[in-house]
């Protein structure tokens, strides 16, 4: 015989789940906070090497070579009218991206830990929320720069090594931005208790390693 349902509505089930998480957090608060501060930065994923190799193949250089090219957001001399110009712009964006974000999950976790360190001991106040906002702004700037470059490469190349390399850069940045949006949602909307509980249960987007 099937066990009768305890909850009559989905809302009641969700509310009970939240209450269980709050009790778990209240009971294990010290260990949870200690674990948050001791989290280690994970090694970069294989996708970084795949991006580097794809771009190296597309541009025709060894991915061991240092071919640093600096392009800034306000650089009006970037030539997107031909494929070589687009690929050089993409190479520059990739270099800036990997200098900032060695790996999306590790980068997001680092931002979260920086934010946690600013929380007051008395549990009142939200800490320095500009840490998350600044990280988001940096990633958004790179993604905003990358989008027209990626679109141009896809127009030139359709499905190719070049377009796949361009798409991988765009997805890498989009995934990182989604991770930071998830953190900011908890900071601004759900609150710090829900953030702590969700983190302790490894339910944040970056902890589940979801990808765009």
């Amino acid at each position: 015989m099937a066990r009768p349902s305890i909850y009559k509505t989905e809302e009641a089930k969700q509310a009970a789940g939240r209450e269980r998480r709050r009790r778990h957090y209240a009971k294990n608060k010290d260990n949870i906070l200690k674990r948050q501060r001791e989290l280690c930065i994970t090694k970069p994923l294989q996708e970084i090497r795949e991006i580097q190799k794809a771009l190296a193949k597309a541009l025709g250089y060894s991915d061991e070579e240092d071919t640093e090219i600096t392009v800034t957001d306000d650089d009006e001399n970037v030539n997107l009218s031909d494929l070589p110009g687009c690929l050089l712009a993409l190479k520059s964006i990739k270099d800036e991206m990997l200098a900032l974000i060695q790996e999306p999950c590790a980068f997001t976790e680092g931002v979260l830990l920086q934010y946690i360190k600013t929380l007051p001991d008395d549990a009142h106040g939200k800490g320095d929320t500009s840490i998350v906002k600044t990280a988001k702004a940096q990633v958004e700037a790179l993604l905003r720069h990358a989008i027209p470059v990626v679109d141009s490469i896809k127009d030139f190349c359709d499905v190719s090594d070049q377009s796949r390399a361009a798409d991988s850069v765009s997805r890498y940045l989009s995934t990182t931005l989604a991770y930071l949006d998830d953190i900011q949602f908890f900071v601004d909307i759900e609150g710090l208790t829900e953030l702590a509980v969700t983190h302790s249960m490894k339910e944040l987007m970056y902890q589940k390693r979801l990808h765009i």
Side-chain angles (χ1 to χ4, degrees):
M1 181 177 177
R3 184 178 178 179
S5 176
I6 300 174
Y7 310 108
K8 298 186 180 300
T9 66
E10 185 64 26
E11 290 77 8
K13 183 177 180 181
Q14 292 175 356
R18 284 195 295 270
E19 183 58 31
R20 282 196 302 271
R21 291 194 294 272
R22 288 193 180 95
R23 286 199 301 269
H24 172 80
Y25 177 72
K27 183 178 179 180
N28 301 280
K29 180 179 178 180
D30 291 341
N31 288 334
I32 289 170
L33 293 177
K34 181 180 178 182
R35 191 159 62 244
Q36 287 173 339
R37 289 178 170 88
E38 292 177 349
L39 289 172
C40 296
I41 301 300
T42 58
K43 294 181 179 179
L45 296 177
Q46 184 63 28
E47 64 188 270
I48 296 176
R49 293 296 298 157
E50 292 173 358
I51 291 173
Q52 292 172 325
K53 289 179 179 179
L55 279 172
K57 183 175 181 180
L59 283 168
Y61 63 82
S62 168
D63 65 335
E64 300 298 326
E65 294 176 5
D66 182 7
T67 55
E68 185 75 23
I69 303 169
T70 301
V71 179
T72 60
D73 266 342
D74 57 357
D75 191 339
E76 297 180 355
N77 296 319
V78 176
N79 180 16
L80 299 183
S81 63
D82 57 35
L83 181 58
C86 291
L87 293 174
L88 287 172
L90 183 66
K91 169 65 168 58
S92 176
I93 294 167
K94 184 269 298 182
D95 288 343
E96 292 182 50
M97 176 184 77
L98 294 182
L100 176 67
I101 310 163
Q102 293 186 351
E103 192 276 322
C105 293
F107 175 75
T108 305
E109 192 161 85
V111 171
L112 179 58
L113 290 177
Q114 286 182 53
Y115 170 68
I116 288 172
K117 290 177 182 178
T118 70
L119 294 176
D121 293 335
D122 60 5
H124 295 292
K126 298 177 67 172
D128 186 1
T129 59
S130 68
I131 291 173
V132 180
K133 293 176 182 177
T134 298
K136 272 190 62 179
Q138 290 175 306
V139 178
E140 285 172 341
L142 279 172
L143 183 59
R144 186 168 59 249
H145 193 127
I147 287 172
V149 177
V150 171
D151 289 344
S152 295
I153 291 174
K154 288 181 177 180
D155 288 341
F156 281 119
C157 300
D158 198 17
V159 179
S160 64
D161 290 331
Q162 292 94 331
S163 64
R164 282 190 287 271
D167 192 54
S168 66
V169 170
S170 176
R171 286 187 289 107
Y172 193 93
L173 290 168
S174 296
T175 294
T176 305
L177 187 58
Y179 290 169
L180 293 172
D181 276 333
D182 188 42
I183 298 295
Q184 189 171 30
F185 172 76
F186 279 93
V187 171
D188 292 342
I189 306 299
E190 290 291 318
L192 298 180
T193 299
E194 283 297 319
L195 173 61
V197 171
T198 305
H199 182 275
S200 72
M201 300 185 74
K202 300 187 183 301
E203 287 294 317
L204 291 172
M205 188 177 180
Y206 85 88
Q207 292 176 302
K208 295 193 285 187
R209 293 188 175 273
L210 301 177
H211 288 259
I212 299 298

